[in-house]
Amino acid sequence: MSGAWRRHIHKLGSSLRWNDGIGKDDVSQNANGNNIMINAAIVGIGWWGQKIVTAVQGKSERMCFIRGVSKEPDEVRDFTSRHGIRLSTELNDVLQDPDVEAVVLATPHSLHTEQIIACAKAGKAVFCEKPLALKAADAQRSVDACRKAGVLLGIGTNKRFWPCMRELRKVVDSGVLGRLMHIEGHYSNENTGKHFSSWRTDPTEAPAAGLTGSGIHVLDALTSYAGPARKIHAQVLSLQPQPNPRDTITALFEFERGVSGTLGAIRSTAFFWRIHVFGDQGSAEAIGENELVVRLNGKAPERLTYEPVDSLAAEFEAFADAVAGRATYPISGEEMVATIAAFEAVVNVVK
């Protein structure tokens, strides 16, 4: 390790990890011990649900899918058969299966809250793809239901597991940037036009242009560093409607911790990811999946690159470890609710 800021991080020791101190109240202990495989069910086996299964099945030593639920079983039967997944059409089928320890939801957004509550009542750990809910009150209901049942609630924020974001967390937590002042975030991609499904074009399921599909990952990053949002201004500009949209969303935030922030997302341009955290002693900028630029006052910038990882596999390893009681889950219920509160506020502004 070279550079003063890296030596400073190193001196903090092994206790400095990107997920330390987050979500300690949300860990579910598994009485079966530490060296176990979590048997899970996947609910919703469309484009993204299949990506989840492909990242986990036969590759993870901590988690496997034994059951699946789809409302279009004929369309996914070959896929589930290849992966050794028993298929049914109703969530209740897997909730009544004693062999299922965890449920992964990759379903339409408006269904998330009631499905999470049903999983919690059945005593199943539950992982929900983003967004956790469309309204903050519903996100809080989900968090409360899981806490009451003593089961883990996980959330699909795989961008946190990109190497650049993991290292950005280390830099910020080290304190070398000084007092945090501002955060800029942008996430654009072409997924909406490439992976069409009718419910994803419904503005009640995916409001505010690119906010639901990509922008919420930026919101997750902003709230993880700056806390809940206090004031929000936002706009959506649309040049072409669904199913192949040409639109932008831009938002300006003031957070409760006195930090300002910006968000941008476009649904029709090449992949671009950037989270840039500014303090009064320097800044750190995560770019793409594997690049980090650190700029400290009075010093030359350092540009670092990291080996790529499968972020989907990594986030489900973290989920399985928390279900089994091997580790702390990296995202607290409070962060989940704060992200959805900011999401709901942006949606209301741009209506």
Side-chain angles (χ1 to χ4, degrees):
M1 296 173 71
S2 62
W5 67 269
R6 290 199 231 178
R7 289 193 294 272
H8 180 59
I9 292 174
H10 181 72
K11 285 192 292 184
L12 293 177
S14 60
S15 63
L16 178 58
R17 296 181 300 162
W18 68 280
N19 61 347
D20 274 359
I22 301 175
K24 285 185 168 60
D25 294 336
D26 298 322
V27 176
S28 174
Q29 301 291 322
N30 190 305
N32 295 325
N34 287 329
N35 298 317
I36 61 173
M37 175 76 79
I38 301 299
N39 291 326
I42 178 75
V43 182
I45 316 177
W47 160 62
W48 193 251
Q50 291 185 24
K51 283 182 70 71
I52 291 171
V53 171
T54 301
V56 171
Q57 202 74 337
K59 300 173 183 176
S60 173
E61 297 180 353
R62 297 177 177 89
M63 180 173 167
C64 67
F65 290 104
I66 63 171
R67 297 290 300 264
V69 177
S70 174
K71 293 298 184 181
E72 297 86 27
D74 292 339
E75 296 181 13
V76 301
R77 201 176 305 278
D78 287 346
F79 177 83
T80 55
S81 179
R82 288 197 309 272
H83 290 281
I85 296 172
R86 181 182 170 192
L87 184 62
S88 59
T89 59
E90 301 299 327
L91 173 62
N92 199 48
D93 294 339
V94 302
L95 297 185
Q96 293 180 348
D97 187 338
D99 291 331
V100 173
E101 300 168 273
V103 177
V104 176
L105 302 174
T107 53
H109 309 144
S110 62
L111 303 179
H112 288 173
T113 303
E114 297 307 322
Q115 289 176 334
I116 291 169
I117 292 172
C119 292
K121 288 181 177 179
K124 312 292 188 185
V126 56
F127 181 101
C128 182
E129 266 305 327
K130 55 81 182 169
L132 182 65
L134 297 170
K135 296 184 180 298
D138 287 335
Q140 188 67 60
R141 287 176 61 206
S142 293
V143 169
D144 290 345
C146 290
R147 283 180 173 160
K148 181 178 179 181
V151 299
L152 182 75
L153 174 60
I155 183 68
T157 56
N158 66 305
K159 280 48 177 176
R160 287 197 184 211
F161 294 82
W162 282 345
C164 69
M165 293 301 292
R166 180 190 65 226
E167 298 303 318
L168 176 64
R169 171 63 67 181
K170 290 180 181 179
V171 172
V172 173
D173 286 354
S174 76
V176 296
L177 302 184
R179 179 179 179 179
L180 294 191
M181 300 176 64
H182 179 72
I183 309 175
E184 298 175 357
H186 188 105
Y187 183 27
S188 291
N189 59 45
E190 304 169 83
N191 290 344
T192 300
K194 289 183 175 180
H195 304 286
F196 172 80
S197 59
S198 58
W199 69 266
R200 292 183 186 275
T201 68
D202 184 344
T204 63
E205 291 284 356
L211 181 66
T212 313
S214 59
I216 195 164
H217 286 292
V218 175
L219 271 183
D220 173 66
L222 296 182
T223 57
S224 75
Y225 288 113
R230 183 162 53 198
K231 295 180 181 179
I232 297 174
H233 304 275
Q235 69 174 18
V236 168
L237 297 180
S238 179
L239 302 177
Q240 180 176 306
Q242 292 274 22
N244 191 19
R246 297 290 186 270
D247 52 35
T248 68
I249 181 166
T250 309
L252 177 68
F253 301 87
E254 178 186 332
F255 294 95
E256 290 184 2
R257 296 176 188 172
V259 177
S260 60
T262 61
L263 173 153
I266 304 172
R267 292 194 286 180
S268 57
T269 193
F271 165 80
F272 180 77
W273 170 269
R274 173 178 171 269
I275 301 293
H276 199 163
V277 180
F278 295 83
D280 61 3
Q281 298 300 310
S283 72
E285 180 183 18
I287 305 170
E289 299 184 26
N290 308 307
E291 186 175 358
L292 182 71
V293 182
V294 179
R295 303 173 179 89
L296 298 181
N297 293 1
K299 301 182 183 299
E302 288 195 66
R303 186 175 296 269
L304 309 166
T305 57
Y306 305 95
E307 290 297 317
V309 302
D310 185 334
S311 61
L312 272 180
E315 77 169 343
F316 281 101
E317 297 281 274
F319 175 70
D321 281 344
V323 173
R326 289 186 288 256
T328 297
Y329 189 65
I331 307 168
S332 71
E334 287 74 18
E335 283 185 88
M336 297 181 195
V337 174
T339 297
I340 298 304
F343 172 90
E344 183 182 4
V346 172
V347 171
N348 289 336
V349 169
V350 301
K351 279 183 178 178

